[in-house]
Amino acid sequence: MTTICYRTAGPAALLSCVLALALTACATQPASRTEADLAIETSAGSRYEVHRVQVRRDAGALSVSGDIEHVPSMRMLAPGAVEVRVLGPDGVVLAEKTTKPMRRNLQSSDAHFYVRLPVDPPAGSSVQIAHQK
């Protein structure tokens, strides 16, 4: 989809053009991203979602981050904890860590989590992320 905005267009046309570009950019963002050759599995309670997950390999360790959001979106604390597990190709737990999600500020409707695991999993491994109340 190609959108072209002209300088001679009115404010309404310019606004619709900017919105079209923004929506196109948002639609192409992945729900989770990994720089490693790992499968990502997420689970949460019925009123929460895990999203914007990122997994990165860094100097023999694995960094996992993401957000927990209340559904429907509300400015509430995400109670409980986030458990992150790294499973090898054979299903054996290679590393495991639990952390509490934190809101970025009082206006935020989601909470962020981050863990660093001292493991360099082989290809075919998976990362499991579970929000527990």
Side-chain angles (χ1 to χ4, degrees):
M1 176 179 161
T2 304
T3 306
I4 301 172
C5 296
Y6 294 100
R7 289 188 127 197
T8 58
L14 186 58
L15 179 60
S16 66
C17 181
V18 169
L19 288 174
L21 288 173
L23 290 174
T24 304
C26 291
T28 60
Q29 296 296 317
S32 60
R33 187 173 70 198
T34 179
E35 294 176 0
D37 182 24
L38 302 168
I40 299 173
E41 302 169 18
T42 62
S43 67
S46 62
R47 294 185 171 223
Y48 295 92
E49 281 184 357
V50 178
H51 56 96
R52 288 192 289 269
V53 174
Q54 293 187 0
V55 178
R56 294 189 178 122
R57 289 184 192 257
D58 182 35
L62 205 61
S63 297
V64 181
S65 64
D67 295 323
I68 304 292
E69 186 169 14
H70 189 273
V71 178
S73 183
M74 302 172 107
R75 293 181 184 163
M76 297 179 65
L77 291 175
V82 176
E83 183 177 317
V84 179
R85 284 186 186 157
V86 179
L87 301 175
D90 54 358
V92 174
V93 177
L94 302 176
E96 179 175 28
K97 197 170 211 178
T98 303
T99 187
K100 288 206 166 272
M102 297 182 64
R103 282 196 310 181
R104 299 174 200 274
N105 57 46
L106 292 176
Q107 289 76 32
S108 181
S109 63
D110 59 4
H112 185 73
F113 68 89
Y114 172 83
V115 295
R116 184 171 169 88
L117 301 162
V119 65
D120 189 14
S125 298
S126 63
V127 176
Q128 291 181 339
I129 302 165
H131 175 247
Q132 304 166 345
K133 273 177 82 173

